[in-house]
């Protein structure tokens, strides 16, 4: 499978509708605080070169307000795909699925700062064009607090499936170092999708708190 050409995104398969991601999150409507609780750790058992990013496949259980989701995989985009108040250096996507197959992506926007120890492990274990067994826990990549933006969108890589619940956390606690970002970009030079039209979709924002089980 050839890598996606991020310099010619207009050539991507485009059988999609009017609720695409990522979007500009500014001008959002204030909402009540939202709590996310990791009920079972986000454990990764396989690290995969999927030609777009480093995919970390695993399992876990997450409660977001009143809804329960199963964690299935995580991956990184550099630079960040969503636009909040400030442009961020990178963006983690923690992909979840409900019991009936609905998708939710918990995204964490990362400013530059100190390196994440788990990111060093991810980069050290990476083998190009391969799938490797690993044992990693990603709970430390969820910040204790921040601002969360919620809206309905799509996957940001083909097939660009819509109907995805987005839960985007802008924060300053979890950061990526310039060296980590550079190492990642040596593997994947630019893997962020351009901003998509909002098309009058409602975006809610409010305080984010990480709950304890």
């Amino acid at each position: 499978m050839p890598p996606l050409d991020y310099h010619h995104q207009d050539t991507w398969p485009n059988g999609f509708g009017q609720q695409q991601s990522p979007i500009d999150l500014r001008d959002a409507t204030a909402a009540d605080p939202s709590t996310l609780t990791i009920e079972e750790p986000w454990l990764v058992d396989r690290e995969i070169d999927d030609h777009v990013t480093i995919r970390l496949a695993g399992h876990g259980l997450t409660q977001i307000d009143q809804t329960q989701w199963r964690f299935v995989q995580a991956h990184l985009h550099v630079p960040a795909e969503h636009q909040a108040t400030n442009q961020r250096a990178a963006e983690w996507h923690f992909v979840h699925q409900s019991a009936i197959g609905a998708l939710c992506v918990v995204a964490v926007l990362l400013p530059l700062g100190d390196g994440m120890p788990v990111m060093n492990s991810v980069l050290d274990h990476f083998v190009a064009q391969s799938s490797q067994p690993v044992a990693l826990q990603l709970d430390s990549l969820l910040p204790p607090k921040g601002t969360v933006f919620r809206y309905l969108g799509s996957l940001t890589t083909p097939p660009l499936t819509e109907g995805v619940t987005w839960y985007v956390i802008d924060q300053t606690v979890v950061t990526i170092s310039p060296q980590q970002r550079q190492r990642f970009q040596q593997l994947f030079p630019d893997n962020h999708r351009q901003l998509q039209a909002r098309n009058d979709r409602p975006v809610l924002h409010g305080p984010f708190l990480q709950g304890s089980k």
Side-chain angles (χ1 to χ4, degrees), residues 107-120:
V108 177
L109 304 181
L110 303 173
L112 286 177
D114 295 332
M116 303 169 282
V118 70
M119 188 65 194
N120 288 332

Side-chain angles (χ1 to χ4, degrees), residues 71-149:
F71 166 73
V72 292
Q73 60 112 327
H75 58 268
L76 189 70
H77 291 274
V78 176
E81 295 193 306
H82 286 88
Q83 172 70 55
T85 306
N86 300 294
Q87 179 62 45
R88 298 305 191 188
E91 181 173 333
W92 275 112
H93 287 172
F94 302 99
V95 182
H96 290 71
Q97 197 167 40
S98 73
I100 60 171
L103 292 175
C104 173
V105 180
V106 176
V108 177
L109 304 181
L110 303 173
L112 286 177
D114 295 332
M116 303 169 282
V118 70
M119 188 65 194
N120 288 332
S121 297
V122 168
L123 292 164
D124 291 345
H125 282 96
F126 180 76
V127 178
Q129 300 180 11
S130 182
S131 172
Q132 299 291 320
V134 293
L136 299 170
Q137 184 167 339
L138 304 184
D139 297 25
S140 63
L141 299 177
L142 184 71
K145 60 182 180 179
T147 299
V148 63
F149 297 85

